[in-house]
Amino acid sequence: MEFKVLATDGKARYGKLKGTHGETETPCFMPVGTLGAVKSVTWNEISEMGYSLVLSNVYHLYLRPGIEVIEKAGGLHSFVNWNGLILTDSGGFQVFSLGKLMKISEEGIYFKSHINGSEHFFSPELVVELEEKMGVDIGMVLDECTPYPATYEYAKHSMERTVRWALRSIKARTTDKTAIFGIVQGGTYDDLRLKCVELLKGLPFEGFAIGGLSVGEPKEEMYRITKLVAPTLPEEKPRYLMGVGKPEDIVEAIEAGVDMFDCVIPTRNARNGTLFTSRGKINIKSAKYKNDFSPLDPECDCYTCRNFTKAYLRHLYVSKEINSAILNTIHNLHFYNRLMKKIREAIKNGEFQEFKKEFFSKYLTF
């Protein structure tokens, strides 16, 4: 994997990331295709929107369809017929979400399938093996996702285990075709976060992620930790803020020096009738749109906005038509990609602060 920072504006960075299956400009947003599919849209539509990097999940794909099926298909790219880049989350967060269905030990994580209750075990070594067998471009190492709130001692032990697992992950590698990223943990404790960075940044990772945020902590804490950690990560490597994806949060994190983002928000909200526009979010199920024959967002040129009115989109939603999820998702993902393009241009032109000011004046006052 190659990564180059090509322009900066303050701490905000514009760059290019190249992997085995293509390249993407950064800052970038990754649509979430957990099971090898982005919900409600086809791979062709994802490509036509301008996305070249998507996220899938080792935990879910390991359980279904299983690594044997993906290997027989020739890898994850061949299985899903996607020619762009794929990053896989290790499943650490998903296993963390299982609660009583999982148990963490020094060896790894024992867990029961959320599908049928069958028992499984993930070690740092196995996760790297699975990611390499899938042939993904970027694999996240197995980490312990520290919950919020957590005591200082718990967060400390969790962070230290994450570092030990990171070392084991590096030793388990057998190819450089799949890049791996280290993950910074430490809860909301500044000294633990900075200690984790110091322990990880000298290791031969191709990139680094900030994990353990957007897990229930106040937004102010998320911003504080992001602004603390991002600038301390190696300048020559990509920085990924895991699971954070509200538009306003992305803008704030880019200002702190973050390059990559993922979140289910645009696709999940689309299915729930919440749509992002240049002037803020709207709830398309609201009765006030019943006779509104204007486009969803007059500044948007996506297929949905070019062809359909708010009244029609509301009708589809309240009628529970499948097309509601499809058209809403097309719009939300187009909005995110358009937002990232504007941010990249602003950074290249040295106008990020002007962009940020205009964005918040319109988006948060709707």
Side-chain angles (χ1 to χ4, degrees):
M1 192 196 82
E2 298 178 15
F3 176 72
K4 290 184 179 180
V5 176
L6 302 175
T8 59
D9 187 0
K11 293 176 183 175
R13 297 136 51 98
Y14 164 74
K16 286 191 177 180
L17 183 155
K18 293 183 180 180
T20 304
H21 297 89
E23 66 177 48
T24 189
E25 294 179 290
T26 61
C28 67
F29 178 83
M30 295 176 280
V32 174
T34 299
L35 289 164
V38 180
K39 292 184 185 297
S40 304
V41 290
T42 65
W43 285 107
N44 184 57
E45 287 168 322
I46 291 294
S47 180
E48 288 181 349
M49 289 179 205
Y51 288 103
S52 53
L53 170 60
V54 297
L55 178 144
S56 286
N57 186 274
V58 166
Y59 164 81
H60 286 282
L61 293 170
Y62 160 81
L63 291 176
R64 187 171 52 192
I67 188 62
E68 298 83 5
V69 173
I70 295 173
E71 277 193 288
K72 287 179 182 177
L76 188 56
H77 288 81
S78 296
F79 183 56
V80 305
N81 194 26
W82 168 250
N83 296 320
L85 301 162
I86 297 178
L87 178 149
T88 45
D89 190 357
S90 69
F93 176 79
Q94 283 67 33
V95 173
F96 150 80
S97 302
L98 292 173
K100 294 181 180 180
L101 294 177
M102 70 88 179
K103 179 181 178 181
I104 299 175
S105 71
E106 187 62 27
E107 291 74 28
I109 304 175
Y110 297 87
F111 62 94
K112 292 184 178 180
S113 166
H114 69 284
I115 300 170
N116 57 20
S118 56
E119 296 182 349
H120 302 272
F121 173 72
F122 267 8
S123 67
E125 293 83 2
L126 177 60
V127 167
V128 170
E129 179 184 339
L130 292 171
E131 290 172 329
E132 290 184 350
K133 285 182 175 180
M134 289 181 186
V136 300
D137 299 272
I138 302 170
M140 305 306 299
V141 299
L142 185 65
D143 65 325
E144 182 179 343
C145 185
T146 309
Y148 178 88
T151 65
Y152 183 88
E153 284 304 310
Y154 185 103
K156 181 175 183 291
H157 290 310
S158 177
M159 178 274 286
E160 291 172 344
R161 177 177 285 154
T162 288
V163 173
R164 291 193 295 272
W165 284 0
L167 289 165
R168 288 168 55 186
S169 299
I170 289 172
K171 292 178 181 178
R173 299 184 72 177
T174 64
T175 178
D176 60 1
K177 290 183 178 180
T178 294
I180 60 172
F181 282 19
I183 303 176
V184 177
Q185 291 287 352
T188 54
Y189 301 100
D190 293 16
D191 62 324
L192 296 182
R193 287 283 182 172
L194 295 177
K195 179 66 174 179
C196 192
V197 171
E198 287 302 312
L199 293 170
L200 291 178
K201 71 179 184 181
L203 302 178
F205 289 115
E206 284 85 353
F208 294 88
I210 305 172
L213 293 179
S214 195
V215 293
E217 78 282 354
K219 181 170 287 194
E220 295 75 17
E221 286 290 274
M222 179 181 71
Y223 287 168
R224 185 179 64 79
I225 294 297
T226 301
K227 292 175 182 179
L228 172 75
V229 173
T232 68
L233 295 171
E235 292 184 6
E236 73 279 7
K237 296 184 179 181
R239 304 161 175 170
Y240 167 28
L241 181 57
M242 303 180 74
V244 173
K246 290 183 179 179
E248 62 270 28
D249 298 342
I250 289 175
V251 173
E252 292 284 357
I254 287 172
E255 185 178 37
V258 175
D259 306 300
M260 302 167 63
F261 303 85
D262 83 281
C263 195
V264 298
I265 283 177
T267 48
R268 179 179 291 169
N269 280 17
R271 299 192 302 277
N272 293 331
T274 299
L275 303 174
F276 297 92
T277 78
S278 57
R279 297 184 179 276
K281 292 185 294 185
I282 70 170
N283 185 344
I284 200 62
K285 68 192 96 168
S286 174
K288 67 181 179 181
Y289 299 118
K290 184 175 182 179
N291 293 299
D292 188 336
F293 302 105
S294 65
L296 178 61
D297 186 347
E299 296 183 21
C300 181
D301 62 351
C302 78
Y303 173 76
T304 302
C305 288
R306 291 198 318 268
N307 292 280
F308 307 104
T309 65
K310 295 190 189 79
Y312 180 63
L313 295 175
R314 178 185 181 276
H315 161 69
L316 292 177
Y317 185 86
V318 298
S319 301
K320 299 182 180 179
E321 281 286 342
I322 293 175
N323 271 345
S324 172
I326 295 171
L327 293 176
N328 289 352
T329 302
I330 287 173
H331 169 75
N332 273 359
L333 287 178
H334 188 90
F335 171 87
Y336 269 67
N337 193 51
R338 188 162 164 264
L339 172 65
M340 303 311 288
K341 283 183 178 179
K342 287 183 176 181
I343 289 172
R344 291 193 295 265
E345 286 301 310
I347 295 171
K348 286 190 285 185
N349 296 328
E351 299 172 347
F352 179 76
Q353 289 303 321
E354 290 84 346
F355 166 84
K356 180 185 176 184
K357 183 178 180 181
E358 180 182 1
F359 170 80
F360 280 108
S361 69
K362 293 170 63 177
Y363 182 80
L364 295 183
T365 57
F366 182 65

